[in-house]
Amino acid sequence: DADVTQTPRNRITKTGKRIMLECSQTKGHDRMYWYRQDPGLGLRLIYYSFDVKDINKGEISDGYSVSRQAQAKFSLSLESAIPNQTALYFCATSASWVNTEAFFGQGTRLTVV
Amino acid sequence: QQQVKQSPQSLIVQKGGISIINCAYENTAFDYFPWYQQFPGKGPALLIAIRPDVSEKKEGRFTISFNKSAKQFSLHIMDSQPGDSATYFCAASEEGYSTLTFGKGTMLLVSP
């Protein structure tokens, strides 16, 4: 089983719909992240959480919200999806000390039509 | 504001050749420089990382060269193999933080 699991793996949704992407991890890490990947733009940080009570905005948080339900679960919501949110979304985790390896999930390919 | 600039965007290398990917940064507070490898349909995975107290780190066929004064670091893949065909991302993070700032990525194709 994967250490970082994202659901769904693929999703097509309509403009204006609310959608939630979920992430769960079995690595026991406190820190979790949501990234967005677009061709030619690399990976950009949307939100991150250093523990259950901590939520921080990243580089591109507008139009997104997150919820840290437990140490192992971190979900990303698009309140009202728009076509330019079509992208590949990755959840990642890392240990609590600085400058450690980030472990990524398999990704969720989201298409907004 | 792009804090980590990566080049080239794409690269084709013949099997057995050397692949070189370069990154430059502006933030002098960066003190951790990893490289991630991503295969199609997969999430990125850590390949190799370096801290600024050394100028070079080698792991197998993969080497990071680091030039602190020039604020540049590069990944060298020796004896490149078709299985190395992937997207490579350089990244950096500041002391005291664990959020990574990524470059835009390089798509490497190693031709047989």
Side-chain angles (χ1 to χ4, degrees):
Chain A
D1 288 341
D3 294 320
V4 183
T5 302
Q6 293 183 231
T7 56
R9 293 293 312 279
N10 290 282
R11 180 73 181 266
I12 300 174
T13 191
K14 293 184 177 181
T15 298
K17 293 290 187 181
R18 184 179 188 274
I19 182 170
M20 179 181 290
L21 309 183
E22 298 186 344
C23 177
S24 63
Q25 52 111 348
T26 58
K27 298 196 71 67
H29 291 162
D30 286 327
R31 298 183 171 186
M32 299 187 73
Y33 313 82
W34 277 104
Y35 287 91
R36 168 178 171 162
Q37 183 176 9
D38 298 278
L41 295 181
L43 293 154
R44 293 180 291 167
L45 183 63
I46 306 172
Y47 270 96
Y48 61 101
S49 169
F50 282 179
D51 63 45
V52 175
K53 297 181 181 180
D54 177 74
I55 299 290
N56 303 281
K57 293 183 178 180
E59 179 187 354
I60 54 165
S61 59
D62 287 349
Y64 301 94
S65 63
V66 292
S67 173
R68 184 80 183 267
Q69 301 94 326
Q71 185 207 36
K73 296 185 181 295
F74 192 36
S75 59
L76 175 72
S77 293
L78 286 67
E79 299 302 326
S80 179
I82 57 177
N84 77 359
Q85 291 178 313
T86 293
L88 189 55
Y89 291 85
F90 285 101
C91 173
T93 74
S94 69
S96 298
W97 49 92
V98 298
N99 296 340
T100 62
E101 180 177 358
F103 293 85
F104 285 79
Q106 299 271 57
T108 294
R109 184 167 297 281
L110 176 65
T111 303
V112 183
V113 298
Chain B
Q1 180 184 4
Q2 183 186 0
Q3 295 195 59
V4 180
K5 295 184 179 180
Q6 183 172 348
S7 63
Q9 187 172 5
S10 62
L11 181 62
I12 300 175
V13 174
Q14 285 196 329
K15 179 181 177 181
I18 302 174
S19 303
I20 302 174
I21 304 170
N22 300 299
C23 284
Y25 63 97
E26 299 169 356
N27 186 349
T28 55
F30 284 152
D31 74 338
Y32 175 65
F33 303 90
W35 285 88
Y36 280 78
Q37 180 187 53
Q38 182 184 28
F39 293 107
K42 304 292 186 182
L46 179 67
L47 181 63
I48 187 172
I50 197 168
R51 298 181 192 278
D53 53 343
V54 297
S55 61
E56 185 176 281
K57 183 174 182 179
K58 183 176 181 179
E59 292 184 1
R61 297 184 293 108
F62 300 90
T63 300
I64 299 179
S65 297
F66 183 80
N67 186 328
K68 187 174 181 178
S69 61
K71 292 186 286 185
Q72 295 176 346
F73 58 110
S74 60
L75 176 69
H76 295 236
I77 306 174
M78 311 300 289
D79 186 27
S80 298
Q81 298 298 310
D84 297 330
S85 297
T87 299
Y88 293 81
F89 294 97
C90 63
S93 66
E94 293 184 29
E95 181 179 3
Y97 294 89
S98 66
T99 61
L100 292 166
T101 299
F102 285 89
K104 293 187 175 183
T106 297
M107 292 183 62
L108 171 65
L109 176 64
V110 180
S111 60

